Amino acid sequence: MAVEGSPLVTRRATRSYAASSSGVESTKPTESYKPTLNDLGFGKQPFSSEDLFSRFPGRRTQILEFLRFLGPLNSPLFPILVYGAPSTGKTSVTLQVFRHLNRPFVYSSCITCYSPRILFESILNQLLFHRKDSGHSYSSVKRCERPSDFVNYLREALEGVISNLKGNSGKSNSKTSGRPDGTMVYLVFDNLECVRDWDKSSTILPFLFNLYDILKMPEVGLIFISNTSPDTYYLNVGYVEPVPLYFPNYTEDDFRHIFMVNQANRKLYASFLDVVLRPFCRVTRRVDELAAALSSLFEKYCEPLSDKQVTPNEEMKRKLFSQIRPHIASALNETFQVQSQPETNKETKKTNSSRMSGILENFDKIDFHMSTSAKYLLISAFLASRNPATLDASLFDSTGVSESRKRKRKASEKSMDQKEMAEQELLMKGPGTFPLERLLAIFQCITSLAEDSLDEEESHEPTTEGGSRGLMSDVLLQLSSLCNANFIIKGGSSPLEGSTRYRTAVSEDLALKVARSLKFPLSKYLYRR
Amino acid sequence: MGREKEKEKPSEKALNLLRSRFSDPNFIFKPLSDSPDSNYSKLKFIISTSVTEACNNSILLLGARGSGKVAVLELVLSDLLQQYPEVISVIRLNGLLHSDDNCAIKEIARQLCMEHQLLFSKVASFDDNSQFMIAMLRECGLAHKTIIFVLDEFDFFAQGKQRLLYSLLDAMQSVNSQAVVIGVSCRLDVDQLLEKRVRSRFSHRKLLFLSPSKEDTERFMEHILSLPVDSSIPHNYAAEFNGRLKKIFSDERFKELINTYLSFNFTIGHLVRFLFQAVSYMDLDVGFLSLDNFKTALSSNQRQPKLECIRDCSILELYMLVCMKRLEVKEQNSYNFYSVMTEYKSIHDSSQTSDNYAANVCLRAFEHLLQRQLISFIDNRLQNQSVEFRPVKLLISSAELHQGMKSYHQCPAILLKLMDR
């Protein structure tokens, strides 16, 4: 019986593929595939324990401990909590251990199963060998929202699976048929820390921790995987704690072993690691972030070399080191970054960042395209967020330049103490919110000013009517697209005014850059305490 | 290849046997129930008299988590089911699952239907189900059958309007019903949570489950860990295993170790978990338990997760923590990423260090700390405010931070100095 071709297995394989980085043969999902009992196993050829250790450098003691807790075939298990920092190999070790042991297990992650209902149904689907497809309009096998229903269904399903497994274990040689070994079923709950943010976390968490006692089935093993330590789960309900299994972060030597895996030119890479690993470990100790930073840096390291198979000698190492040193310094101050089109020039470079503020390169130019009116809108949003609303009139009255002197005097009158307090307060409060009307008013003012300066005429008459005609056409559209891009955040409506309030998440650096690209004197309009 | 051979290994068999014992509460609590003044005997007496005398009754079983309340109850129930097979039906509810009245009454109806081979309707309303329950109570009473309601996590049923408890206990007030309600809870004050109308209908019989005495603990450990000499396990092996076990038990160091463990985890459930860990550390090649197994189990139980977290941090993350600590010392009681950043910059201005990184890298470190729960947001309501501006608090004490940094491999000396100043 071939087990290739199950989509379930492919998904698991992809998850472990990233971690193990060894070649896993690609599987083709077939349309009319019916999951069977075999899919509860890992589905690939099991491998020896030595293979397992070599796949995970630096995780030997943890794997051994894990294997000990799981025990020999068919031995019951107390719930285990596997915990440790992100990217320390918790999930992949767990999955690969099950591959090594070839035992049936059900894996569900609380990230993808983001609500109790989806979590319950995904477990039941796997246990009842149900696959969502178009035949039954992608419905789950059972509709189950409450823990009480879930326990009833789960008990039913587990009994079915276990009796099935017991029937099999007597029959044939398990190795050749690809069937999972043993009569234990393991339920793996990954990313348990996400459950704390769920609406019903106060009932779901104790339920999950007490599931072993509720089920009272010795054939079921529960394994929880969490980013955070057990003490972050203390609730006022209480539970007999699961057996802890700690995955510590990798040491520098472990990192070396990890990054040396699958390197073509080991000597060269070793000399590269000698140079870069220590400074990077000071900044972050997560494998995924280090791997992203190091892979692009290694390319730069190799640039001067014509032959990449060369074994570096001392002199060459020194030369390469002096080459790479400036790059290290800049790379240390960058977070994760991907070049979208590596061949084209610098203007099209894009940062792939989760947040807009703060993550910027050292270029003077902004690294994304934006229409002029959107830029003005951004600047006005920035001003509206940073400046107190009471100062708007004095700032934007006529040209607004004359007021600056007065403001300075005002600031100097304050004592240093008060100033510090105010600064702290400002830091704590963050950017202020503003209504749409204020944003539009400032927008009109600064665009009219800009047009004045374009005409190179110092007119004291505010020409808002005429100046904004061209730009006003789709300001609201621009605003909503800025909101979508997370430059401007739409807040809740204020209870007094009843209108929606906005806020910008744009950092000052970015705002200054945008202003510079428009040749707009932003600093003149920025109120400083 | 070697799996077939391994199967014959006596040590593996022994391990399997021990582990299946741990997950079998009946086996664990059997020896503790033979004495006449044990909770087992008391509970059995109470329930069996109410079955034989056909009266209503209610009891609370109270005790810490893992003290074996449910296990003892299950022992009693299984005995009684054997003794009076036709007369008893048991309805089991759990507060974690059925704290909602609607859901609970539905579950009662479902289990009653299962028990009496009736058709259960999923769409029945709360009213239908409670009418059905009352009718069943009456019918069973007329047929002289006892229904035993087991309410695990009883304190959850005492939340809200307590409609279930009221309707259940109220139905039991009538003459011709015959039911026993057994509440199981780890809250000793659970009867204070009941409403007056419920409390007055509840008999205040309580059974307390205390932690076992020292002698009991020893007896218990011997009972659970020693191998039977007359089973499929080779006789020689079992005898030697038991002999070595005796030697460990008589060791002073072992007694001290168990006392340390029991001083903070005192229930049978915790002890069983501890023995589970010790037994899983057993070396299968040697095949016998050793004192070291127990030591390892104890040390894996005495973890300090926060210190582990600090040891997992990078140096930059430590800098962030120290900055927050310094802000707290300065009595700045709320701070966010930017105020931490100003402190971080001022550290670098005053003492030139090599670890001066850009704000975005620091922000990433800051987020790692949030993820590891070393710091957390003060207010969870401000969801739309970006991370940098939300005020945070430290979740570790300065002593913990200090201790963590001292045990940190290659912690920069300047950080320790900055902590003190």
Side-chain angles (χ1 to χ4, degrees):
Chain A
M1 267 199 186
V3 280
E4 261 103 68
S6 120
L8 213 70
V9 171
T10 345
R11 198 195 64 215
R12 275 185 196 148
T14 32
R15 177 77 215 247
S16 52
Y17 178 77
S20 64
S21 72
S22 74
V24 180
E25 61 271 37
S26 63
T27 52
K28 240 188 261 165
T30 45
E31 282 298 320
S32 59
Y33 183 77
K34 269 257 178 291
T36 60
L37 192 63
N38 299 350
D39 291 316
L40 289 182
F42 195 86
K44 295 275 186 308
Q45 268 308 310
F47 45 67
S48 67
S49 55
E50 274 315 309
D51 220 6
L52 188 64
F53 295 135
S54 67
R55 274 181 182 226
F56 297 104
R59 283 289 94 118
R60 197 188 177 90
T61 46
Q62 282 75 33
I63 292 172
L64 270 177
E65 200 167 346
F66 202 168
L67 288 174
R68 285 206 167 130
F69 282 146
L70 289 179
L73 207 60
N74 298 340
S75 64
L77 169 79
F78 273 35
I80 298 182
L81 176 72
V82 180
Y83 72 98
S87 85
T88 47
K90 301 177 295 296
T91 304
S92 25
V93 163
T94 309
L95 295 179
Q96 296 295 324
V97 158
F98 278 111
R99 179 177 176 187
H100 159 62
L101 294 172
N102 192 25
R103 293 188 194 168
F105 70 101
V106 170
Y107 173 86
S108 47
S109 158
C110 297
I111 287 183
T112 47
C113 304
Y114 53 86
S115 78
R117 185 181 157 193
I118 295 169
L119 178 69
F120 296 159
E121 287 179 0
S122 118
I123 293 170
L124 290 176
N125 284 346
Q126 291 181 58
L127 278 174
L128 293 168
F129 316 118
H130 172 89
R131 234 186 94 203
K132 291 185 184 181
D133 59 29
S134 52
H136 35 73
S137 59
Y138 296 97
S139 63
S140 297
V141 62
K142 291 263 166 62
R143 202 191 132 86
C144 125
E145 220 158 336
R146 292 208 181 107
S148 54
D149 297 337
F150 174 62
V151 166
N152 289 335
Y153 291 137
L154 183 66
R155 198 173 273 140
E156 227 168 79
L158 283 171
E159 270 161 8
V161 168
I162 288 163
S163 70
N164 210 338
L165 284 168
K166 275 185 179 152
N168 279 326
S169 63
K171 256 189 256 161
S172 60
N173 189 358
S174 55
K175 284 242 172 95
T176 49
S177 61
R179 285 189 186 287
D181 292 340
T183 57
M184 287 279 294
V185 179
Y186 298 90
L187 303 183
V188 183
F189 294 89
D190 200 356
N191 301 107
L192 195 69
E193 71 279 352
C194 295
V195 180
R196 285 181 313 185
D197 300 331
W198 291 0
D199 290 342
K200 289 177 185 162
S201 65
S202 57
T203 57
I204 293 295
L205 264 181
F207 163 68
L208 286 179
F209 279 122
N210 283 316
L211 188 59
Y212 184 76
D213 293 330
I214 293 171
L215 280 176
K216 293 199 189 90
M217 294 173 88
E219 295 93 347
V220 180
L222 297 179
I223 293 159
F224 301 105
I225 304 177
S226 159
N227 268 344
T228 53
S229 48
D231 62 323
T232 54
Y233 291 100
Y234 288 152
L235 307 153
N236 48 13
V237 179
Y239 51 90
V240 174
E241 281 169 62
V243 177
L245 175 58
Y246 173 55
F247 276 55
N249 222 332
Y250 295 108
T251 63
E252 220 174 289
D253 277 343
D254 296 335
F255 281 130
R256 201 174 291 268
H257 288 300
I258 291 166
F259 289 121
M260 288 302 279
V261 172
N262 289 346
Q263 286 303 329
N265 188 348
R266 295 177 68 86
K267 287 250 170 69
L268 184 67
Y269 203 78
S271 67
F272 168 68
L273 285 184
D274 283 339
V275 178
V276 296
L277 200 52
R278 177 149 297 174
F280 271 97
C281 275
R282 286 178 88 89
V283 180
T284 177
R285 285 175 66 192
R286 288 179 55 165
V287 178
D288 47 358
E289 289 170 358
L290 283 174
L294 294 191
S295 66
S296 63
L297 211 55
F298 185 57
E299 271 170 34
K300 290 218 180 80
Y301 188 73
C302 292
E303 253 169 29
L305 296 172
S306 50
D307 176 21
K308 292 205 173 158
Q309 297 307 317
V310 74
T311 312
N313 52 14
E314 280 306 309
E315 192 194 348
M316 191 195 273
K317 274 186 195 169
R318 223 169 297 137
K319 221 176 84 192
L320 287 173
F321 174 57
S322 60
Q323 287 264 343
I324 196 77
R325 207 156 53 167
H327 292 297
I328 294 178
S330 68
L332 277 175
N333 285 323
E334 266 168 28
T335 43
F336 181 58
Q337 158 190 351
V338 175
Q339 288 185 357
S340 55
Q341 292 155 307
E343 297 308 314
T344 52
N345 55 355
K346 272 184 180 175
E347 265 81 0
T348 51
K349 240 184 193 178
K350 271 190 175 177
T351 48
N352 187 346
S353 63
S354 56
R355 209 165 303 91
M356 298 324 277
S357 60
I359 299 164
L360 294 163
E361 271 111 311
N362 295 328
F363 312 120
D364 246 10
K365 286 175 182 163
I366 46 171
D367 39 17
F368 46 84
H369 294 291
M370 205 188 233
S371 69
T372 313
S373 65
K375 279 178 184 170
Y376 274 115
L377 202 58
L378 194 63
I379 290 173
S380 41
F382 177 74
L383 285 174
S385 244
R386 298 299 146 116
N387 290 349
T390 44
L391 281 177
D392 278 358
S394 57
L395 276 174
F396 296 105
D397 180 32
S398 63
T399 58
V401 189
S402 57
E403 292 297 316
S404 61
R405 223 169 294 129
K406 196 174 161 193
R407 267 189 291 123
K408 265 180 197 153
R409 192 160 11 97
K410 214 176 175 182
S412 64
E413 278 163 15
K414 287 178 183 169
S415 69
M416 288 303 279
D417 256 13
Q418 263 177 324
K419 201 176 164 189
E420 233 169 64
M421 287 284 281
E423 250 169 36
Q424 262 184 25
E425 204 177 306
L426 189 70
L427 274 181
M428 286 309 299
K429 262 202 306 206
T433 59
F434 50 85
L436 182 64
E437 290 77 12
R438 185 164 164 233
L439 175 71
L440 291 181
I442 295 178
F443 177 71
Q444 277 193 339
C445 288
I446 62 174
T447 46
S448 68
L449 282 170
E451 290 200 349
D452 287 349
S453 64
L454 277 182
D455 298 340
E456 290 175 323
E457 274 182 35
E458 288 292 328
S459 126
H460 286 266
E461 203 73 29
T463 54
T464 46
E465 288 299 316
S468 63
R469 201 173 295 141
L471 285 167
M472 273 305 274
S473 57
D474 52 3
V475 166
L476 289 177
L477 203 65
Q478 298 273 12
L479 181 68
S480 74
S481 64
L482 281 177
C483 280
N484 286 337
N486 218 5
F487 279 114
I488 298 175
I489 299 164
K490 215 169 175 177
S493 55
S494 84
L496 283 177
E497 293 167 50
S499 59
T500 321
R501 293 185 78 91
Y502 296 83
R503 179 202 294 278
T504 41
V506 176
S507 71
E508 194 167 336
D509 287 348
L510 182 64
L512 281 172
K513 267 179 208 170
V514 172
R516 214 170 298 141
S517 72
L518 289 172
K519 298 195 175 65
F520 176 78
L522 178 66
S523 46
K524 259 203 294 195
Y525 294 96
L526 208 56
Y527 173 68
R528 295 199 190 276
R529 266 163 257 233
Chain B
M1 319 151 269
R3 196 163 295 169
E4 271 72 36
K5 248 187 267 168
E6 274 170 33
K7 249 179 200 163
E8 281 128 43
K9 239 191 197 171
S11 59
E12 197 155 316
K13 245 181 198 170
L15 184 58
N16 255 343
L17 177 76
L18 289 178
R19 287 173 66 123
S20 50
R21 276 182 185 175
F22 293 141
S23 60
D24 179 11
N26 285 353
F27 181 85
I28 293 169
F29 287 96
K30 203 89 196 187
L32 298 177
S33 54
D34 44 12
S35 72
D37 58 339
S38 69
N39 277 328
Y40 170 83
S41 325
K42 286 181 200 160
L43 188 61
K44 193 171 177 184
F45 176 75
I46 294 169
I47 302 178
S48 60
T49 46
S50 45
V51 169
T52 49
E53 285 165 21
C55 58
N56 292 313
N57 215 336
S58 48
I59 320 155
L60 278 179
L61 310 184
L62 305 175
R65 225 162 255 281
S67 52
K69 304 176 292 289
V70 179
V72 169
L73 178 64
E74 289 297 326
L75 267 178
V76 170
L77 287 178
S78 67
D79 280 3
L80 288 176
L81 280 172
Q82 271 178 358
Q83 223 171 330
Y84 316 98
E86 292 297 304
V87 191
I88 301 176
S89 53
V90 183
I91 307 293
R92 289 184 177 84
L93 295 184
N94 190 317
L96 282 171
L97 308 176
H98 312 108
S99 59
D100 173 24
D101 289 331
N102 218 341
C103 178
I105 208 105
K106 203 175 208 170
E107 180 68 20
I108 291 176
R110 194 187 68 87
Q111 289 191 19
L112 278 174
C113 287
M114 286 241 298
E115 198 86 13
H116 299 274
Q117 281 92 39
L118 297 169
L119 203 64
F120 171 62
S121 155
K122 269 187 180 173
V123 289
S125 67
F126 178 83
D127 218 35
D128 295 342
N129 280 331
S130 64
Q131 298 250 312
F132 172 72
M133 181 184 78
I134 290 163
M136 279 304 286
L137 274 173
R138 198 175 49 237
E139 290 296 319
C140 285
L142 290 175
H144 292 291
K145 283 187 174 181
T146 302
I147 302 179
I148 300 179
F149 292 93
V150 178
L151 306 179
D152 199 357
E153 314 280 348
F154 189 71
D155 43 325
F156 279 84
F157 292 103
Q159 287 169 356
K161 291 205 165 160
Q162 311 185 352
R163 269 200 303 179
L164 172 82
L165 287 179
Y166 178 72
S167 52
L168 200 59
L169 292 168
D170 195 46
M172 282 167 57
Q173 299 298 310
S174 71
V175 199
N176 46 13
S177 77
Q178 195 177 329
V180 181
V181 172
I182 303 170
V184 181
S185 175
C186 45
R187 277 192 72 164
L188 300 185
D189 64 337
V190 72
D191 53 335
Q192 304 300 313
L193 298 174
L194 297 175
E195 277 173 28
K196 198 178 155 215
R197 57 172 189 166
V198 178
R199 205 184 309 162
S200 62
R201 285 167 170 80
F202 202 87
S203 87
H204 288 266
R205 207 169 274 123
K206 284 187 223 167
L207 274 184
L208 265 180
F209 283 71
L210 301 171
S211 54
S213 65
K214 238 177 201 168
E215 294 76 45
D216 273 351
T217 316
E218 273 169 29
R219 208 157 54 92
F220 165 74
M221 281 198 296
E222 205 173 317
H223 161 74
I224 199 166
L225 286 181
S226 52
L227 295 177
V229 277
D230 51 342
S231 69
S232 57
I233 297 169
H235 182 269
N236 291 347
Y237 173 77
E240 191 176 352
F241 188 94
N242 292 344
R244 290 200 186 201
L245 202 63
K246 272 233 168 69
K247 230 166 108 193
I248 295 175
F249 283 159
S250 57
D251 196 333
E252 269 314 306
R253 283 176 296 171
F254 177 76
K255 280 178 185 158
E256 200 176 311
L257 197 143
I258 287 292
N259 278 342
T260 340
Y261 182 75
L262 289 178
S263 60
F264 53 91
N265 293 310
F266 51 88
T267 62
I268 297 268
H270 282 103
L271 189 65
V272 169
R273 199 186 71 131
F274 174 71
L275 294 181
F276 167 80
Q277 274 173 291
V279 165
S280 11
Y281 286 124
M282 182 171 85
D283 195 343
L284 279 181
D285 294 329
V286 180
F288 300 104
L289 280 170
S290 69
L291 190 60
D292 284 334
N293 298 147
F294 291 97
K295 274 186 191 157
T296 332
L298 183 67
S299 67
S300 83
N301 263 304
Q302 286 175 326
R303 293 198 172 281
Q304 285 173 302
K306 288 293 180 206
L307 289 189
E308 283 168 352
C309 275
I310 293 173
R311 251 169 270 152
D312 281 350
C313 286
S314 67
I315 305 252
L316 176 61
E317 284 153 25
L318 284 186
Y319 265 102
M320 293 270 118
L321 287 176
V322 170
C323 287
M324 280 180 242
K325 188 71 241 154
R326 282 167 67 92
L327 286 177
E328 272 188 8
V329 171
K330 282 182 192 167
E331 290 181 348
Q332 190 173 328
N333 38 22
S334 84
Y335 40 85
N336 60 12
F337 173 68
Y338 281 119
S339 36
V340 174
M341 256 334 259
T342 41
E343 181 65 26
Y344 178 72
K345 288 223 175 80
S346 76
I347 284 180
H348 288 294
D349 289 344
S350 58
S351 52
Q352 250 63 42
T353 62
S354 55
D355 299 281
N356 196 356
Y357 301 107
N360 53 349
V361 180
C362 293
L363 183 61
R364 186 175 67 178
F366 189 77
E367 282 180 351
H368 287 178
L369 292 177
L370 276 171
Q371 213 172 16
R372 304 291 328 265
Q373 291 263 304
L374 282 170
I375 58 179
S376 76
F377 294 124
I378 287 175
D379 199 347
N380 265 327
R381 278 170 302 166
L382 298 165
Q383 294 289 4
N384 56 354
Q385 177 82 281
S386 53
V387 178
E388 306 99 288
F389 290 108
R390 290 172 68 178
V392 292
K393 63 178 179 232
L394 271 179
L395 294 181
I396 45 170
S397 68
S398 74
E400 274 176 314
L401 182 58
H402 202 89
Q403 203 185 338
M405 286 204 308
K406 271 196 174 154
S407 64
Y408 190 88
H409 179 61
Q410 292 175 330
C411 176
I414 179 134
L415 267 179
L416 283 170
K417 236 199 261 169
L418 287 168
M419 260 296 280
D420 297 334
R421 256 185 288 141

